[in-house]
Amino acid sequence: MKIDLTDTTAGKINKALVRGRRAIGTPAVGMVLTLVIVTDEENAYDAIKAAGDASREHPSRTLVVIKRASRSPRDRLDARLDAEVRLGGDAGAGETVLLRLHGELVDRADSVVLPLLLPDAPVVVWWPVDAPAVPAKDALGALAQRRITDAYAVEDPLSELAARAEGYEPGDTDLAWTRLTPWRSMLAAALDQARVQVLSAVVESEAENPSAELLARWFAARLRVPVEQVVTAGPVVTAVRLRTAEGEIHIDRPEGPVARLAIPGQPDRVLALKVRTTAELIAEELRRLDPDEAYRAALHAEVVAPPAAPEGAA
């Protein structure tokens, strides 16, 4: 079911939600959180689709805040809210409200969102692109227990990570970090099996990949070893090598969903290690709303490169 509302208010949107739920027989008590997506028209479709897929695991009220640019000084003074309410099959396992803000209302998005939040439920804010410098101090970010950004979606990912580190507050996270969960889990399990001391590490990835940068910082924070970063054709992270006195522990994933794990003294293993969809990443982030201390430590760690080999060394 879809309900279009033009030049409307938050109160009218709430009434439309109630009418729609009654019409299709869907109660609101099954919603576990409110997900606020702050995006533009260009990226709205993909973000809404990802949130809808994630809602099958986390039924939620999704509020999509789309700030419309004003074309003239008169338009900038004309505050207007248009909305589209989606329920049932059009909204995954939850309910979705598209909020198109015009004029002065663009700078007061929190006044529109606040009356639409589910009572006594956590709030998560996600910026698919163009996140504020300090998400926790943003008017919408201040409403949330969890704030999700994505350094992979900007032109200069490494500068974005620097901004995320400078403005970090508990509850912040980034999808560049979420993409590393399978890598970190497999590497931690491999080290538990090998029981060896790591001397240095190598991370291979496409150029300026924020996930690779965070993985290198994670090694620096947890293992306190030099980390070398090698550029490959990608996609994303393609290999990790941990050098030890007994040999090299490495995971190679040159392409496709399959990787190979090698541990000294053990037969090689084939692992499932696909590049996950945005919906899978968002679903993972919605499983935990507490501060991610591992992300904080990686974000603020400094990578030390291994010393260069002497000239003429083989």
Side-chain angles (χ1 to χ4, degrees):
M1 171 183 285
K2 293 184 180 180
I3 304 172
D4 289 320
L5 301 169
T6 303
D7 198 5
T8 188
T9 64
K12 292 178 181 179
I13 295 171
N14 266 321
K15 291 178 181 178
L17 285 166
V18 173
R19 288 198 312 271
R21 285 197 300 268
R22 287 175 178 170
I24 64 176
T26 303
V29 292
M31 307 295 170
V32 298
L33 56 87
T34 303
L35 174 62
V36 181
I37 303 174
V38 187
T39 186
D40 52 21
E41 292 285 3
E42 180 182 357
N43 296 281
Y45 176 83
D46 290 338
I48 293 168
K49 186 178 185 304
D53 292 342
S55 73
R56 287 167 170 69
E57 182 178 339
H58 309 278
S60 58
R61 172 176 291 178
T62 301
L63 306 177
V64 186
V65 178
I66 302 173
K67 300 179 179 181
R68 301 295 298 269
S70 300
R71 298 181 180 178
S72 68
R74 181 176 179 179
D75 289 340
R76 284 192 285 272
L77 296 176
D78 181 21
R80 191 176 89 249
L81 170 64
D82 298 331
E84 180 183 323
V85 177
R86 300 179 181 179
L87 300 103
D90 293 314
E95 52 192 27
T96 300
V97 182
L98 277 68
L99 304 167
R100 290 184 169 89
L101 280 57
H102 303 259
E104 292 182 335
L105 205 56
V106 166
D107 298 322
R108 301 175 184 173
D110 55 315
S111 66
V112 176
V113 168
L114 189 59
L116 299 175
L117 301 178
L118 289 171
D120 303 320
V123 178
V124 177
V125 177
W126 171 32
W127 292 269
V129 293
D130 298 331
V134 184
K137 293 184 179 179
D138 178 79
L140 290 173
L143 302 174
Q145 287 76 40
R146 192 75 159 177
R147 296 167 293 275
I148 305 172
T149 55
D150 191 357
Y152 195 73
V154 302
E155 291 185 4
D156 190 346
L158 301 188
S159 295
E160 185 76 2
L161 287 183
R164 297 282 79 82
E166 185 175 351
Y168 175 84
E169 294 289 343
D172 291 356
T173 192
D174 196 282
L175 294 186
W177 175 251
T178 317
R179 292 181 179 93
L180 293 174
T181 300
W183 286 90
R184 294 188 295 118
S185 298
M186 291 176 184
L187 289 165
L191 288 174
D192 284 343
Q193 294 178 45
R195 299 285 183 180
V196 293
Q197 181 179 359
V198 177
L199 304 177
S200 66
V202 179
V203 178
E204 300 180 9
S205 74
E206 61 190 4
E208 296 189 347
N209 181 268
S211 295
E213 177 66 22
L214 285 172
L215 186 57
R217 296 185 190 187
W218 183 61
F219 287 143
R222 298 300 298 270
L223 301 177
R224 302 186 183 281
V225 297
V227 184
E228 179 183 358
Q229 294 176 265
V230 177
V231 175
T232 65
V236 198
V237 179
T238 55
V240 171
R241 309 183 189 282
L242 303 179
R243 293 165 178 158
T244 75
E246 285 74 19
E248 188 178 84
I249 299 171
H250 66 255
I251 298 178
D252 283 303
R253 185 191 62 185
E255 59 183 353
V258 176
R260 183 171 60 88
L261 168 64
I263 300 177
Q266 300 184 22
D268 290 359
R269 304 172 204 177
V270 175
L271 308 171
L273 194 58
K274 68 174 184 176
V275 177
R276 296 185 295 166
T277 65
T278 303
E280 292 172 307
L281 301 176
I282 291 297
E284 178 185 325
E285 283 301 331
L286 297 183
R287 291 183 202 125
R288 55 173 300 174
L289 301 178
D290 56 314
D292 190 338
E293 292 300 323
Y295 168 66
R296 181 195 62 78
L299 194 60
H300 291 99
E302 293 187 9
V303 176
V304 177
E311 290 188 16

